[in-house]
Amino acid sequence: MSSTKSPPVAPPAPAPRPAPAPPPGARWAAGLAGALLLLLAAVVLSLGVGAKPLPPGQVWDGLLQADSPAYALVREMRLPRTLLGLLAGTALGLAGAVMQSLTRNPLADPGILGINAGAAAAVVSAISFLGVTSFTGFVWFAFAGAGAVAVLLYAVGGGRAATPARLALAGSALNAALYSYVNAVQLLDTASLDRMRFWTVGSLAAAQGYTVVRVAPFVLVGLAAALLLARPLNAMAMGEDAARALGADPVRVRIAAIVTVTLLCGAATAACGPIVFVGLMVPHLVRALTGPDLRRLIPYCAVLAPALMLAADVLGRVVVRPSELQVGVVMVVAGGPVFLYFVRRPRRSLS
């Protein structure tokens, strides 16, 4: 009787190992690259879309060739408008991020809390009473107005102990009072009304090359200051005692943060008028991607805030074509529901 051997059974194949997750730094860099692509798309749309749409080829020719039929439209009108949108959006997004971190308050925004209104009131006063008409002339008034309201709001709101409701109420009161003053000045000074009416709603339509050149240094200095403040503001999120242990002086950090917000808001408001909700929405969206670390959050805000500003400006050009809605109006319509959502939901810590 013969015995048969069963064939050897192969050992089970090892289960495939999951691919290692990319390190956090790689994810952050990849996300930032995606944000830059969104910004590039917004720039292309801003140069090509308007009352007279242009294909990309004509946009390119209009940028580079002085004899192109599109040169005047692209190079002299849409390019300054796009560059101003980049600068103003960056300034407002960074100001919102710094304010929210400084006050530990998710509703902190230069437009909602009256800082832009303070700059607007000062500029309208300069236009009406002093005859100032140029950016160089009234940018300093914008800085003074924004700085005064920032200090007043911080004091009235309770400093670090401020609650969202208290800041929102104080900011609403300041906004109402300051914009009532602005409207009164416009009604009493009809000669200045035409110069001020588009500016006071927030507009990029009157952008000129010299305005872009003059506002750029202020925004770049504000960007550098915001980046330098990222580490000390992160330290202050752990409490003043911990911040001191880590080498950050809370008083100096607060003063530097208020000066930075004043610089950014004053420059943006002087250039294109008071525009709200950019500084509220963008830091919230970015924080969901990066967490509260300002070293990662601020670069994202510097890219996505101008993308939002340009997208709102493009939308305003097409919804009522051949006329247009000012970017400030579009941001109010889009940002109002977002603000109500943040007011109604439970407060979340920013640390």
Side-chain angles (χ1 to χ4, degrees):
M1 188 172 180
S2 62
S3 60
T4 59
K5 294 183 178 180
S6 59
V9 178
R17 296 181 178 179
R27 290 197 300 269
W28 177 82
L32 190 60
L36 286 169
L37 290 177
L38 286 177
L39 178 59
L40 178 61
V43 168
V44 173
L45 288 174
S46 181
L47 292 174
V49 175
K52 181 182 179 181
L54 297 176
Q58 291 187 25
V59 171
W60 184 255
D61 291 342
L63 285 173
L64 301 180
Q65 299 179 13
D67 58 349
S68 170
Y71 181 85
L73 179 60
V74 175
R75 189 68 178 267
E76 298 179 4
M77 297 177 64
R78 291 185 183 172
L79 181 60
R81 183 172 185 162
T82 300
L83 293 176
L84 183 59
L86 289 171
L87 292 170
T90 299
L92 295 175
L94 292 174
V98 172
M99 282 193 68
Q100 289 178 13
S101 178
L102 176 66
T103 61
R104 315 304 304 153
N105 194 297
L107 297 182
D109 170 73
I112 296 172
L113 300 185
I115 295 178
N116 289 351
V123 171
V124 165
S125 299
I127 292 173
S128 180
F129 302 132
L130 301 178
V132 179
T133 58
S134 67
F135 173 82
T136 304
F138 57 62
V139 65
W140 306 110
F141 291 92
F143 290 150
V149 174
V151 173
L152 180 62
L153 178 70
Y154 191 77
V156 173
R160 264 185 63 87
T163 63
R166 189 169 182 177
L167 270 182
L169 287 173
S172 298
L174 288 171
N175 259 326
L178 291 168
Y179 279 125
S180 295
Y181 168 77
V182 169
N183 291 332
V185 171
Q186 288 180 311
L187 291 174
L188 294 173
D189 186 2
T190 55
S192 300
L193 178 60
D194 287 338
R195 295 201 303 269
M196 294 187 291
R197 62 191 180 97
F198 285 110
W199 180 86
T200 53
V201 298
S203 174
L204 301 176
Q208 300 290 333
Y210 68 85
T211 306
V212 173
V213 171
R214 292 171 181 173
V215 77
F218 298 108
V219 177
L220 293 176
V221 171
L223 171 61
L227 290 171
L228 292 174
L229 281 170
R231 189 179 295 275
L233 284 174
N234 283 341
M236 288 186 62
M238 297 182 288
E240 293 192 6
D241 292 337
R244 291 189 183 95
L246 293 172
D249 185 336
V251 175
R252 291 183 179 179
V253 172
R254 289 194 185 97
I255 293 174
I258 291 174
V259 170
T260 300
V261 170
T262 299
L263 184 67
L264 292 169
C265 292
T269 305
C272 55
I275 298 175
V276 299
F277 293 124
V278 176
L280 172 71
M281 292 192 291
V282 173
H284 274 284
L285 296 174
V286 171
R287 200 173 288 112
L289 301 173
T290 65
D293 188 348
L294 288 177
R295 294 172 298 178
R296 298 181 181 275
L297 187 143
I298 285 177
Y300 265 91
C301 288
V303 174
L304 290 179
L308 175 64
M309 177 80 86
L310 291 179
D313 187 46
V314 170
L315 182 62
R317 298 183 213 174
V318 299
V319 291
V320 291
R321 187 185 291 173
S323 299
E324 69 175 64
L325 288 176
Q326 306 305 317
V327 64
V329 177
V330 177
M331 287 307 307
V332 168
V333 173
V338 177
F339 175 66
L340 293 177
Y341 167 74
F342 287 133
V343 168
R344 289 181 59 86
R345 74 172 185 170
R347 184 183 182 188
R348 296 181 180 178
S349 173
L350 300 186
S351 57

